[in-house]
Amino acid sequence: MAPRPDADSDSSPSIDSRGSRSKHSAVLPAFSTMDLVQQDREEDREEKDPWDLPELKDSGPKWSELDTKAKVMRVLSAILKFCILLGLLYMFVCSLDILSSAFQLVGGKAAGDIFQDSAILSNPVAGLVIGVLVTVLVQSSSTSSSIVVSMVSSGLLDVQSAVPVIMGANIGTSVTNTIVAMMQAGDRNEFRRAFAGATVHDFFNWLSVLVLLPLEVATGVLYKLTKLMIDSFNIQGGDNAPDLLNVITDPLTSAIIELDKSVISAIATGDPAAQNMSLIKSWCRTSKNTTRWNDTVLACPAGAICWVEGNTIWTEKNFTVVTNLERCSHLFANTSLPDLAVGLILLALSLFVLCSCLILIVKLLNSMLKGQVAVVIKKVLNTDFPFPFGWVTGYIAMLVGAGMTFIVQSSSVFTSAITPLVGIGVISLERAYPLTLGSNIGTTTTAILAAMAAPGETLANSLQIALCHFFFNIMGILLWYPIPFTRLPIRLARALGNHTAKYRWFAALYLFLCFLVFPLSVFGLSLAGWQVLAGVGVPFVVLVLFIIVVNVMQSRWPRFLPSFLRTWDFLPRPLHSMKPWDRVVTSALDFSRRRCCCCCKHCKCCRGDDQEVGGDDGMSDKMKALEGRDNPALSRDEEEGPRQKATEL
């Protein structure tokens, strides 16, 4: 029988000149043909494109093979699963609402303090990062937009300075679905798709800001366009935007917590009494009695109505008395805990419910989407219209995303709901992108309807800010969607998904840097003045652009680069590779796991480690599975091994 080749090489075992094997060589087991074929199939499966949508196959019997009882049980099981899915979706949406309230309790007053310095807001870059920070703190772009409207209406901020803040709010609202995507880190390919489906929203917002913010600063195109529309139409106030989803979720969320969001706006507008007020609403029914009178002043206060009679400046003053009529009935109505403590309690509770619901939703969808149902759903969601109308499919997906967002009244809820569907492979990344863009449009139309219901004195400002938000998203779509070549957010999200699937800890680092460290750094530099911000920011931007250009040229036209720039090997390895950082993070996590696991003498982890140390030093289990059955000497050795050990015992 011919000797079996070495597992690590294609050559035969070496034989010395005397015809005998080297004394250091061992008898190598042979591979069976079936195991080799199975190994080749596993390697082909590993080489398969991870972005291909997985096949959701039906593992059970077909419908035609079932008897009457089995068919009835299958139908009842499907109905029960659907009802459970609706319940989990309801809890998922409610947990997002509670999460937003928790963030407002923890950082709402800080958000109001950030908005207080209107001199900083006049800097467009600072206004942008303030919009990001405040929206991340309160987890709601509508709340941050309402704060901006209050400041504009009170005269503390003009509409032109508020436009960058609205752009930042558009970026900050995408943090929720990025957090949701991190809950699918258990499966590598699911995490790859889910994180790309979440961050495609981030890349769209950041790329749109990189183009439209300098354009707005240079030309004021958004401000002038919306100003022209406001002045051209005689717009009258209307009814509030319809509360469709809130009618269903409010009974549960209002029984847990209710907030007085006007406190944040009062802090932002400089009301000193609001600093000592609690965000937790204690009285749900109040009565206000306002007394107005005219008085003379030396100078007209900001935001006040003044007129001149002779040499005297008159203004209208008022005094409001609030009478409490009925206490609220939520869980924290009578609490003595501070806002921070209540916010941390609700934050932990909402994150636990959010993670639990998300895990159960993914498992339930995996069990429901099988067989013909999965084929139909995937075909409907991911198939384009026939030629020559294939280009229409994406725009119809935008309309679907806008309509669904209008129904649920929140882009965060809609994008967070489709993120796990992208992860399990029901929706492709190419289809999730137009759905997300439509969600951006849907949330701005809701804001426009809400602005239409504003009082007469704030109607024009509220509507102009809402229109700025709307046209910002429209211009972003025109930049990054109509031509397939310009759909950079998909390619960037795919690259980031591959990166985070390989180094999963990078997802948390991305979230921390993109939504906290970077905005805080720019905000801190803006406090020192625009000269310091420009002195640090301009070299940083030039360096980033240089790295991007060199990377593109390295992959496409390396011959035009100097020899030392054709690779980054001249730099220290931690500056151009993630592997050294991955070893550090993995070692730190492994050390923490061992310390926590082995603190007990009878810990399973320790026993598992001992068994691994005391195990066989020979081949791995995978190699043992490939041992052939045509090597009698090896089989006899393996059979005699345990017998010999038993004799010694």
Side-chain angles (χ1 to χ4, degrees):
M1 182 182 297
R4 172 189 166 278
D6 192 358
D8 297 331
S9 65
D10 295 332
S11 61
S12 302
S14 61
I15 302 176
D16 59 13
S17 59
R18 290 171 295 180
S20 61
R21 295 180 183 274
S22 174
K23 63 180 180 179
H24 298 293
S25 62
V27 178
L28 298 175
F31 288 116
S32 69
T33 306
M34 294 301 296
D35 288 333
L36 285 172
V37 172
Q38 184 177 0
Q39 185 184 25
D40 291 339
R41 288 177 179 175
E42 291 178 357
E43 291 176 355
D44 293 340
R45 194 179 301 116
E46 290 177 358
E47 293 175 359
K48 187 179 179 182
D49 186 5
W51 292 101
D52 290 341
L53 297 182
E55 293 293 333
L56 304 174
K57 297 181 180 179
D58 191 0
S59 57
K62 296 181 179 179
W63 178 263
S64 58
E65 299 174 356
L66 299 176
D67 55 10
T68 304
K69 182 180 178 180
K71 289 180 179 179
V72 172
M73 292 301 296
R74 177 171 286 192
V75 171
L76 291 177
S77 175
I79 294 174
L80 180 62
K81 287 181 179 180
F82 182 73
C83 294
I84 295 174
L85 179 64
L86 290 180
L88 290 174
L89 285 173
Y90 178 76
M91 294 299 297
F92 177 75
V93 173
C94 290
S95 64
L96 286 176
D97 195 352
I98 298 297
L99 182 68
S100 176
S101 299
F103 273 107
Q104 290 181 51
L105 286 171
V106 172
K109 291 188 176 181
D113 290 333
I114 291 174
F115 270 126
Q116 268 191 330
D117 197 343
S118 56
I120 296 177
L121 289 172
S122 60
N123 183 344
V125 178
L128 174 75
V129 296
I130 286 174
V132 176
L133 281 174
V134 171
T135 308
V136 169
L137 287 174
V138 300
Q139 283 289 291
S140 173
S141 59
S142 59
T143 301
S144 53
S145 299
S146 65
I147 297 173
V148 173
V149 169
S150 300
M151 296 184 66
V152 172
S153 302
S154 61
L156 297 176
L157 189 67
D158 58 354
V159 176
Q160 196 161 6
S161 299
V163 173
V165 183
I166 296 300
M167 293 182 181
N170 209 56
I171 294 173
T173 192
S174 62
V175 69
T176 307
N177 56 328
T178 309
I179 295 174
V180 170
M182 294 180 64
M183 307 305 169
Q184 291 182 265
D187 184 271
R188 192 177 297 274
N189 281 333
E190 280 190 13
F191 185 49
R192 184 196 316 270
R193 291 188 292 265
F195 201 77
T199 53
V200 72
H201 195 186
D202 303 346
F203 284 116
F204 169 78
N205 290 330
W206 282 109
L207 289 173
S208 299
V209 164
L210 286 177
V211 175
L212 295 178
L213 182 62
L215 183 65
E216 175 66 21
V217 172
T219 64
V221 57
L222 287 173
Y223 171 76
K224 293 177 181 177
L225 177 62
T226 54
K227 181 68 173 175
L228 181 64
M229 293 184 64
I230 295 295
D231 294 340
S232 300
F233 298 101
N234 183 20
I235 301 173
Q236 302 293 331
D239 296 330
N240 285 319
D243 289 332
L244 301 176
L245 187 68
N246 290 341
V247 174
I248 305 173
T249 59
D250 276 350
L252 179 59
T253 56
S254 299
I256 298 174
I257 190 69
E258 287 190 65
L259 300 184
D260 186 4
K261 298 180 182 179
S262 62
V263 175
I264 304 177
S265 300
I267 294 174
T269 53
D271 187 357
Q275 291 287 351
N276 299 322
M277 296 172 63
S278 174
L279 282 170
I280 302 173
K281 188 182 289 187
S282 299
W283 297 91
C284 288
R285 187 181 169 195
T286 59
S287 174
K288 294 183 179 180
N289 186 11
T290 303
T291 304
R292 292 182 174 87
W293 70 93
N294 298 332
D295 198 359
T296 57
V297 291
L298 296 177
C300 184
I305 300 174
C306 302
W307 65 94
V308 179
E309 293 182 0
N311 295 327
T312 306
I313 301 175
W314 290 84
T315 185
E316 183 183 85
K317 293 185 177 181
N318 62 76
F319 180 75
T320 303
V321 177
V322 180
T323 305
N324 299 321
L325 300 178
E326 183 181 348
R327 268 195 174 275
C328 296
S329 58
H330 58 84
L331 291 178
F332 298 96
N334 300 315
T335 185
S336 59
L337 295 173
D339 288 358
L340 179 60
V342 176
L344 293 176
I345 293 171
L346 291 177
L347 185 64
L349 176 66
S350 59
L351 284 176
F352 173 75
V353 175
L354 181 71
C355 299
S356 304
C357 289
L358 186 63
I359 293 170
L360 293 175
I361 286 172
V362 171
K363 290 186 177 296
L364 196 60
L365 286 174
N366 279 325
S367 67
M368 293 175 66
L369 298 177
K370 293 181 180 179
Q372 194 64 28
V373 177
V375 174
V376 172
I377 292 177
K378 290 175 66 176
K379 193 172 182 180
V380 169
L381 291 177
N382 300 306
T383 304
D384 293 337
F385 284 101
F387 181 82
F389 302 105
W391 59 274
V392 181
T393 312
Y395 297 98
I396 292 179
M398 286 186 199
L399 293 177
V400 172
M404 293 299 296
T405 305
F406 182 81
I407 291 174
V408 301
Q409 298 280 294
S410 173
S411 61
S412 298
V413 171
F414 176 73
T415 54
S416 299
I418 67 172
T419 295
L421 296 178
V422 177
I424 65 176
V426 176
I427 301 176
S428 65
L429 181 62
E430 287 74 14
R431 186 64 72 243
Y433 181 51
L435 286 172
T436 302
L437 301 186
S439 177
N440 276 355
I441 299 298
T443 192
T444 56
T445 55
T446 304
I448 290 173
L449 289 177
M452 294 284 289
E457 63 272 10
T458 62
L459 174 61
N461 293 330
S462 303
L463 193 55
Q464 187 173 0
I465 291 171
L467 288 173
C468 287
H469 196 182
F470 175 76
F471 283 108
F472 167 75
N473 285 297
I474 291 293
M475 290 180 180
I477 291 173
L478 294 176
L479 283 172
W480 309 115
Y481 188 78
I483 306 173
F485 176 77
T486 61
R487 295 171 188 174
L488 290 179
I490 294 180
R491 282 178 281 183
L492 293 175
R494 199 186 295 272
L496 184 60
N498 288 328
H499 207 66
T500 51
K502 189 175 182 181
Y503 309 108
R504 296 186 220 190
W505 52 266
F506 186 77
L509 182 65
Y510 163 81
L511 196 66
F512 182 68
L513 291 178
C514 189
F515 292 101
L516 195 61
V517 174
F518 176 70
L520 279 176
S521 302
V522 176
F523 179 65
L525 291 172
S526 63
L527 291 176
W530 68 269
Q531 297 90 345
V532 177
L533 180 62
V536 177
V538 170
F540 178 76
V541 171
V542 170
L543 177 63
V544 171
L545 292 176
F546 173 76
I547 293 173
I548 293 174
V549 170
V550 171
N551 275 327
V552 172
M553 294 188 69
Q554 283 177 352
S555 59
R556 295 178 179 268
W557 310 287
R559 63 184 181 275
F560 295 112
L561 289 173
S563 57
F564 73 96
L565 276 180
R566 292 176 183 175
T567 64
W568 296 109
D569 293 339
F570 66 92
L571 294 173
R573 199 175 182 202
L575 294 181
H576 66 88
S577 174
M578 296 295 295
K579 290 183 178 179
W581 300 104
D582 183 59
R583 284 197 295 268
V584 172
V585 174
T586 305
S587 301
L589 293 176
D590 187 60
F591 175 76
S592 302
R593 180 183 63 83
R594 289 177 181 274
R595 294 285 293 182
C596 296
C597 183
C598 297
C599 60
C600 180
K601 185 177 180 180
H602 302 287
C603 181
K604 291 181 181 179
C605 175
C606 298
R607 290 202 300 269
D609 292 342
D610 294 340
Q611 290 174 3
E612 290 177 3
V613 172
D616 187 12
D617 294 331
M619 297 181 198
S620 65
D621 294 338
K622 185 175 181 181
M623 296 298 294
K624 287 183 179 180
L626 298 174
E627 293 175 1
R629 297 171 179 81
D630 54 354
N631 195 337
L634 183 64
S635 302
R636 188 165 55 251
D637 291 342
E638 289 183 348
E639 291 174 358
E640 292 177 355
R643 191 180 306 140
Q644 181 67 26
K645 291 181 181 178
T647 304
E648 292 175 356
L649 274 174

